[in-house]
């Protein structure tokens, strides 16, 4: 990895991955076809791109049962324990709205209600993601969403990864479709004969999925436009180089576009980490992916002071941030922008990917400046409530009418003034 | 207004207003020019479309002082009282995150932090919107946002409405720019020599503003894609026709695309409201706008039962819903989807537009199915925090490593396993 002196005031902000015009045109075509042709278009694109012709778009109970029976009991129990941890963390996020008495019988309120239906996209490709099922489904369940749908591309034999089916089964989800790509997003947004539309779509995917989510945004809600995974490690000379290298590689192995960055005050640590990365890469099964990522997007910055290092981290607003310094908890308070913060050497980032209970769906591409990880908040909406009594109306109607007239909206003023005791 | 029998199971869902290809191309051009040329592009488009060449893009302290001095004292006091009500309602939304002890010294947390900088777009055109300033700025202030910027198109003499400047002054906001349209959104998203970029853009606007917000979404956060205003009134035979008509017209006067709908169980009320709308239209200053809206998007539905009426309202998911029935509070509980709910005849919708304290930025186009009105939540983001002690790590590392390997991510497993006591 390249070691660079951290320039003061440098911005490490990551550019947004927008996709190109050609990809966007493909996505728009797919969305439009699925909207018009429904299931027929889903079947067409699934055969064309995923290489199989599904008998049934929906996963059968038999397939789920087979997956459950085939899975190692220990793994099932690990998944169940992870699910329980995730549930406990997310239960802290439940909100109930509020009620404010204004006097004279008047009140204002906020009501929080769950979305009716949500769809979770689980990516296919080179890895299986049962953990994504847990991370997306559990917050929706905690929020009280009644209908939760999963869609994911099957492999060429028409199978979904057993782990995905088992994770869904564990959570009581059985509406699962073997559809991937932009066509899956279209089905969730517009509905087809087989798949009823949902109100919100969550879950990561490739560039086609990301572009499709962006296109249907507004028609339905979406979680975020997820970019490639990122890790930043902030370390001083108390940290262990081999641990940092392992953590950097754990993100780099996700994707050739993933980004792994170390910012440290120790030049010696910087050198050791670079060496360790090279060494550990040699035996990593996904070394091709990880090496490409490290070469293109990996970086080590040496900062003069810890304060400079923290400021650089704030410009990066990383998806994941590990703090491996003395007084790491104090340093964590100085970080303003990061999706997930991992404090101390025993909080290796994969601890949060799978097990601790926090959500692993986190904002990428420096969007942690304004965005948050997936949470129960993503699966509820709020309504405001106004109840004015006659007395409160009488006292305030003249003020409201004046404000309306200042804006040139006479109809608003008249609406408020149209009330009166005399009619009662 | 046309009176229609409400068909069972009908969906009143409103289509999304997407803009056309030509408008989108204009917006993309503007965004790209502002990104490249900065202030020069802002000046160019402002002269081209708003018809004035601003000396200074930023409103001067002198202009603000003049506006404050010119405003009627009563109005100033009305605005101040509205601001106070809005602040009190939104202060209920402050969140502090949480901390969960896991035992063995380990803990998980959620931290809530304010965004650094937000930009509020205030539309120009035929009306002035000091209330929009209050509704957007106050939640951001309650959240703790440090930098709040307002941008709004000036009139041909280069002036912003005094009410807008006064509302800003009242809230202590003095970073105000005379820029409107897509070019204003571009400036807020990318920054120019004069205008530093922000993290989130809120506020309504015309179709060009809406399209521009959609285009920059991801680069910055946006509140929502606001469509034309909507009101639905749910009424039985206890309601007053003249009041309903006045409320329907108060939305219709906003915009020829605004939508005003009555759903009632009383055929007699339906007829009376239709007559009242005609009558009241005749003396309304903005009758041309209101009439066009009512003719194109106004509708009265007569339902067999109140339950049918409520179900129709749920398919519409209106921005504003008035409930003018017996036991209106009980009926309100049956409404699953609405941005703002107004209960009883003294809660005329403009009460919430200006004064009660709830936010008037609410989800339109049936998006109340999944979206919420503007709130303090829009101006904060959340970070998750994991702290694992050595003991907790030791207990759980094998489980985490197994889960990682199930997903084919050996690097994740090795990262977790790389820790150990022996190094300490």
């Amino acid at each position: 990895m390249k070691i660079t002196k951290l320039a003061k005031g440098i911005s490490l902000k990551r550019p947004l991955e927008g996709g190109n015009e050609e990809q966007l045109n493909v996505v728009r075509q797919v969305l439009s076809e699925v909207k018009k042709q429904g299931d027929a278009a889903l079947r067409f694109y699934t055969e064309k791109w995923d290489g199989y012709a599904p008998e049934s778009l929906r996963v059968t109970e038999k397939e789920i049962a087979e997956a459950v029976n085939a899975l190692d009991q220990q793994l099932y129990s690990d998944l169940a324990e992870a699910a329980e941890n995730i549930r406990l963390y997310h239960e802290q996020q439940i909100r109930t709205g509020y009620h404010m008495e204004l006097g004279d019988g008047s009140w204002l309120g906020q009501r929080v209600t769950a979305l009716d239906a949500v769809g979770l996209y689980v990516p296919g490709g080179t890895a299986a993601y049962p953990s994504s099922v847990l991370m997306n489904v559990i917050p929706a369940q905690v929020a009280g969403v009644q209908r939760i749908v999963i869609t994911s591309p099957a492999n060429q034999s028409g199978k979904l990864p057993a782990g995905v089916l088992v994770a869904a089964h564990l959570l009581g989800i059985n509406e699962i479709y073997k559809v991937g790509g932009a066509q899956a997003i279209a089905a969730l947004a517009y509905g087809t004969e087989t798949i009823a539309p949902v109100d919100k779509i969550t879950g990561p995917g490739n560039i086609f999925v990301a572009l499709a989510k962006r296109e249907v945004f507004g028609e339905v809600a979406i979680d975020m436009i997820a970019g490639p995974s990122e890790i930043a490690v902030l370390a001083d000379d108390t940290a262990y180089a081999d641990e940092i290298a392992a953590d950097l590689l754990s993100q780099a192995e996700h994707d050739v576009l993933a980004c792994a960055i170390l910012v440290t005050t120790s030049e010696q640590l910087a050198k050791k980490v670079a060496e360790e990365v090279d060494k550990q890469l040699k035996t990593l099964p996904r070394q091709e992916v990880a090496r490409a990522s490290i070469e293109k997007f990996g970086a080590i910055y040496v900062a003069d002071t810890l304060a400079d290092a923290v400021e650089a981290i704030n410009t990066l607003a990383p998806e994941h941030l590990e703090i491996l310094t003395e007084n790491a908890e104090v340093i964590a308070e100085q970080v303003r922008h990061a999706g997930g913060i991992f404090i101390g050497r025993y909080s290796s980032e994969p601890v949060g990917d799978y097990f601790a209970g926090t959500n692993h769906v986190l904002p990428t591409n420096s969007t942690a400046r304004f965005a948050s990880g997936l949470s129960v908040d993503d699966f509820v909406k709020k309504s405001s409530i106004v109840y004015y009594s006659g007395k409160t109306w009488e006292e305030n109607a003249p003020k409201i009418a004046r404000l309306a007239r200042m804006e040139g909206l006479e109809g608003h003023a008249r609406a408020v003034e149209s009330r009166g005791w005399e009619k009662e």
Side-chain angles (χ1 to χ4, degrees), chain A residues 346-368:
Chain A
Y346 290 109
S347 312
S348 172
E349 190 275 328
V351 163
D353 282 342
Y354 292 107
F355 193 79
T358 52
N359 208 291
H360 79 194
V361 181
L362 293 167
T364 55
N365 285 107
S366 299
T367 62

Side-chain angles (χ1 to χ4, degrees), chain A residues 256-323:
Chain A
V256 293
L257 299 173
C259 171
I261 288 178
L262 167 64
V263 183
T264 178
T265 47
S266 163
E267 206 170 325
Q268 204 192 352
L269 183 76
K271 284 180 192 155
K272 275 202 221 160
V273 169
E275 285 165 22
E276 271 290 333
V277 165
D278 284 341
K279 184 175 136 200
Q280 294 183 21
L281 258 175
K282 292 195 179 105
T283 64
L284 198 64
R286 293 170 66 91
Q287 62 179 275
E288 273 185 54
V289 172
R291 182 170 285 117
S293 153
I294 290 286
E295 278 174 7
K296 185 128 188 227
F297 299 104
I300 299 176
Y301 294 98
V302 180
D304 282 340
T305 66
L306 206 49
D308 289 352
V310 169
E311 215 26 67
I313 293 294
N314 278 326
T315 64
L316 178 60
E319 181 189 15
H320 305 103
L321 171 66
E322 289 186 0
I323 305 181

Side-chain angles (χ1 to χ4, degrees), chain A residues 197-221:
Chain A
V198 300
D199 298 309
K200 182 162 188 167
I201 302 171
T202 69
N206 62 19
I207 187 69
F208 293 99
V209 170
L211 288 172
K213 281 171 71 180
R214 193 184 169 100
E215 287 291 305
V216 300
F217 163 62
E219 184 73 44
V220 294

Side-chain angles (χ1 to χ4, degrees), chain A residues 123-136:
Chain A
T126 53
Y129 297 108
S131 61
S132 287
V133 174
L134 305 186
M135 293 293 177
N136 283 268

